[in-house]
Amino acid sequence: MRPTLVEKTIYFVTDNVHKLREVALIGRQMGFDIQPLHGLKVEIQSDSIEEVSRKSALLAYFIAGKPILVEDAGLFIEALNGFPGPYSSYVYKTIGINGVLKLMKGVEDRRACFKSAATVIYGPYVITEVGEVCGWLAEEPRGVQGFGFDPIFIPEGSTRTFGEMSVEEKNALSHRARSVSNALGKLKSLMTQT
Ligand code: IMP
């Protein structure tokens, strides 16, 4: 008899339904069942998204005691020396997309990168991986898909913003798809070694 493939469940600590949709799809494609775990994301103060994701994941793991995935991301704008970076969430909530566009008014260099750090804790394994996508800031918001700064970010090689892309299209390019698939890929290979 052929052995049945049992999907491993990992609890994704997030209250963001868009992130959940993106990450659940990656998980499914890699043989993991990603389930949301709400209300457990503790944002520690740090200039490093890797440190935020790792420490938040350890904290969630100690509280929940089950396999955990935490992802932390930010938008790093070249002309603003990487601002808002790890403070993207606060900047989004306070000045928002229009505030960022105002800061960028008349600025010729519109290069920016999204960076993401994903930490998976499963059994004895604690894995942190990063992912990045660079591109440009649009002059005005375009598209209604996704969340956060998606409507003003045009990834390299595209003419459309993330806000104009489906989840599948965004996942083919995004910082989050890279960090999460790297982390799940590493976990998979560690699990098959033992
Ligand atoms: P978080 O702390 O990882 O939730 O992300 C911080 C902020 O960065 C979010 O509130 C968004 O405004 C922005 N951000 C992170 N990832 C993305 C993305 O994939 N698209 C658009 N904005 C994002």
Side-chain angles (χ1 to χ4, degrees):
M1 215 170 55
R2 283 172 73 189
T4 44
L5 261 178
V6 180
E7 281 194 340
K8 310 267 189 220
T9 300
I10 297 180
Y11 295 86
F12 181 30
V13 180
T14 188
D15 295 312
N16 181 327
V17 290
H18 301 281
K19 277 194 181 189
L20 176 63
R21 213 168 288 144
E22 294 173 20
V23 169
L25 181 59
I26 298 161
R28 209 154 46 238
Q29 288 161 344
M30 298 185 70
F32 291 95
D33 170 37
I34 305 289
Q35 292 295 330
L37 193 53
H38 300 290
L40 266 191
K41 177 106 189 268
V42 183
E43 289 265 351
I44 60 147
Q45 275 282 313
S46 169
D47 287 349
S48 149
I49 55 169
E50 284 102 309
E51 194 186 359
V52 172
S53 110
R54 203 167 173 95
K55 289 199 172 152
S56 306
L58 285 167
L59 216 58
Y61 183 72
F62 286 127
I63 295 168
K66 37 193 184 183
I68 288 292
L69 168 63
V70 169
E71 189 267 346
D72 197 69
L75 178 66
F76 296 71
I77 301 172
E78 199 81 20
L80 304 179
N81 296 326
F83 179 85
Y87 307 104
S88 295
S89 173
Y90 183 68
V91 167
Y92 182 76
K93 276 187 242 157
T94 50
I95 62 172
I97 284 183
N98 288 332
V100 168
L101 286 180
K102 229 182 241 174
L103 287 175
M104 292 299 289
K105 208 172 170 151
V107 178
E108 223 169 89
D109 178 5
R110 303 189 73 81
R111 283 175 301 155
C113 298
F114 267 126
K115 296 183 189 182
S116 159
T119 298
V120 179
I121 305 185
Y122 197 108
Y125 308 117
V126 181
I127 303 159
T128 302
E129 290 288 318
V130 294
E132 183 179 87
V133 57
C134 293
W136 294 270
L137 292 181
E139 297 284 345
E140 54 194 36
R142 292 200 319 251
V144 293
Q145 318 247 43
F147 69 100
F149 297 107
D150 277 345
I152 55 167
F153 183 78
I154 305 167
E156 237 166 53
S158 176
T159 52
R160 287 178 298 155
T161 66
F162 271 165
E164 295 174 297
M165 295 184 189
S166 65
V167 173
E168 288 82 359
E169 287 172 319
K170 183 179 171 187
N171 271 356
L173 303 167
S174 90
H175 51 311
R176 178 165 307 104
R178 288 175 183 162
S179 65
V180 170
S181 59
N182 286 347
L184 293 180
K186 215 170 227 181
L187 174 64
K188 231 172 151 174
S189 75
L190 285 166
M191 284 167 130
T192 48
Q193 272 168 31
T194 49

